[in-house]
Amino acid sequence: MAGFPQVRLRRLRSSEAMRRMVSETSVSVDDFIYPLFLAHGRDVKEPIPPMPGIFQLSLDMLLPEIDEITALGIPAVLLFGLPSSKDALGSEAYDEHGIIQEGIRVIKQAAPDLMVITDVCLCEYTDHGHCGVLFEDGRVDNDATLELLARTAVSHVEAGADMVAPSAMMDGQIAALRRALDSSGYSDTPIMAYAAKYSSAFYGPFRIAAGSSPQQGDRKAYQMDPGSTRQAMREMELDHEEGADILMVKPALAYLDVLSRARQRFDVPLAAYNVSGEYSMVKAAAQAGWLDERQVVIETMTSLKRAGADLIITYHAKDAAAWLNE
Ligand code: PBG
C-alpha cells in the first residue's frame, strides 16, 4: 500500500469546489421536522426561557408560524400540547376537542401539504406527569396505558394527523397503535416509533416547555438506561416487528453510537431527535458568544446524518433551513 509522500489526502481538500465534490454527507431542509408547542387561549406567544426562539403558541397565533415553516420548505411539524386541565387518566390527550386535535385542524386547513406528526403520550395530560396511567402503588400500568395511547392516536388521525409518534415507551405500544389505526380505517397512516428513547436529563427544558415533569419519581421504569445499546437494539427490533414505519433514537448527540448501530441493522428510515437540552446548550453558549451558532448547528446536523439519521427532529429547524436556503 502506498503511503506518504505519494499519498497526500490534503489534495482532496484543496479548494471549496473539490471539497464539495468529494463531500460524503449532506444536510437538507427535507430532513427536518420542527416541533411546536400548542396552548389554549388567545394571543398566547409565551417564550420558553431555556429554549430561546421557541414559544408556546395558541391556535390563533399559529398561522404566521405555519407560513414561515412552509416558506422555508420544512416538510413536517411535530405537535406537543398543553391541556387546559390535567387528570389521572390524561383525558385531554384523547379528547376530540383537545388542544392537539384542534391544532391539527387549524394547521391542515392552513397548509394541507405540511406533514403533521403528533407526539402520542400521556405525560403532558396526566396530573401525576407520568407517561401512562398508574396502579394504586404508583407504578405505571403498561397494558391499561396501551388502550389510552391507541385512543389518542386514533383521535389525532381522525382530526387529520398524517403520522403518529408514540413516545411513552410502553411495551407493545406500536402493535396497539397499529391495530387500533387499522381497525379504524387508517391502515395507510404511518407510525414513527420513539423506539430507543433513553431516560435522559437532556429533556429538562422540554419538561419546562410542556409542563410535563413527573410529580413523583422519574421515568426510569419505562425509558431506557443510558448505558445500554443491546437493549436499544431489542427495543428497535420489536417496534420494527410490531409495524413501525420509522424508528427513532432519542436523544441524538449523546447516542450517535446507537444511531450508527441501528443504521447497520434496520432498512427503515431512522429519525434522530435533537432534544431540548441539546438545543439549550447551543443557544446558551451562542448567546454568551462562546461558539458560532450557525456553524455548530450545521455541524451537529451533519453528524446526525453521518451517523445514519434520515430525519432530524430539531428546534433549530427554522434557523438551519434559512441558512441552508441561502
Ligand atoms: C413525551 C416526550 C418528551 C420529549 C418528547 N416527547 C419528554 C419526556 O419523555 O420526558 C422530550 C423532547 C425534548 O426534550 O426535546 N414523553
Side-chain angles (χ1 to χ4, degrees):
M1 269 283 258
F4 179 82
Q6 294 85 354
V7 177
R8 289 178 183 270
L9 294 178
R10 289 183 52 196
R11 286 179 198 128
L12 296 180
R13 298 178 201 140
S14 57
S15 67
E16 177 63 24
M18 177 59 85
R19 291 189 291 271
R20 271 171 54 203
M21 287 170 70
V22 301
S23 167
E24 297 172 44
T25 307
S26 62
V27 181
S28 152
V29 177
D30 297 336
D31 307 327
F32 294 148
I33 299 171
Y34 187 62
L36 291 174
F37 295 97
L38 308 185
H40 287 282
R42 292 190 62 78
D43 283 334
V44 179
K45 188 174 182 182
E46 183 68 28
I48 298 162
M51 301 173 73
I54 308 292
F55 300 85
Q56 297 175 349
L57 292 172
S58 54
L59 304 186
D60 59 313
M61 302 292 276
L62 264 180
L63 293 184
E65 183 76 7
I66 296 302
D67 282 347
E68 195 186 346
I69 292 165
T70 51
L72 286 164
I74 296 170
V77 289
L78 174 62
L79 305 186
F80 296 96
L82 293 111
S84 54
S85 65
K86 306 188 184 216
D87 59 35
L89 299 178
S91 42
E92 193 175 321
Y94 37 90
D95 183 331
E96 64 172 309
H97 297 297
I99 185 66
I100 292 297
Q101 291 80 355
E102 297 291 6
I104 295 165
R105 293 184 191 104
V106 169
I107 296 171
K108 290 309 286 188
Q109 168 114 42
D113 297 331
L114 179 66
M115 178 107 188
V116 173
I117 309 170
T118 56
D119 183 85
V120 175
C121 194
L122 297 183
C123 62
E124 292 123 80
Y125 306 91
T126 50
D127 50 13
H128 46 72
H130 278 289
C131 299
V133 293
L134 305 183
F135 288 118
E136 301 246 311
D137 64 7
R139 286 178 305 125
V140 173
D141 181 344
N142 190 91
D143 300 10
T145 300
L146 293 182
E147 232 168 280
L148 299 183
L149 293 174
R151 263 174 79 177
T152 302
V154 170
S155 79
H156 291 172
V157 179
E158 264 165 7
D162 300 295
M163 177 151 75
V164 289
S167 70
M169 285 304 278
M170 293 299 121
D171 286 326
Q173 63 179 11
I174 305 306
L177 262 62
R178 190 68 273 157
R179 218 177 304 121
L181 291 172
D182 290 355
S183 65
S184 307
Y186 300 121
S187 51
D188 288 336
T189 303
I191 299 175
M192 175 164 72
Y194 283 77
K197 178 175 177 179
Y198 287 86
S199 171
S200 170
F202 285 102
Y203 308 152
F206 174 95
R207 292 179 188 173
I208 296 171
S212 63
S213 294
Q215 296 304 304
Q216 242 155 43
D218 52 39
R219 302 204 202 293
K220 290 181 183 164
Y222 39 103
Q223 299 181 346
M224 290 178 30
D225 164 30
S228 65
T229 48
R230 293 193 296 260
Q231 232 183 68
M233 293 305 112
R234 294 200 71 197
E235 285 283 357
M236 297 183 101
E237 194 84 62
L238 279 170
D239 283 2
H240 188 215
E241 281 168 15
E242 290 178 22
D245 299 279
I246 298 174
L247 296 173
M248 190 200 300
V249 173
K250 180 187 172 197
L253 277 184
Y255 298 86
L256 291 182
D257 57 324
V258 178
L259 200 55
S260 161
R261 225 176 129 180
R263 176 71 295 156
Q264 296 179 11
R265 192 145 158 174
F266 303 105
D267 291 324
V268 299
L270 294 178
Y273 199 142
N274 178 225
V275 301
S276 57
E278 301 174 52
Y279 178 82
S280 299
M281 292 194 300
V282 172
K283 282 289 181 184
Q287 283 184 352
W290 291 344
L291 49 70
D292 180 322
E293 179 175 358
R294 176 176 174 153
Q295 291 192 52
V296 164
V297 169
I298 298 298
E299 183 176 337
T300 299
M301 300 301 131
T302 303
S303 74
L304 301 181
K305 293 291 299 285
R306 190 192 66 235
D310 300 290
L311 303 167
I312 301 172
I313 302 159
T314 180
Y315 305 95
H316 295 292
K318 288 198 302 183
D319 291 335
W323 294 324
L324 291 170
N325 289 337
E326 260 173 32

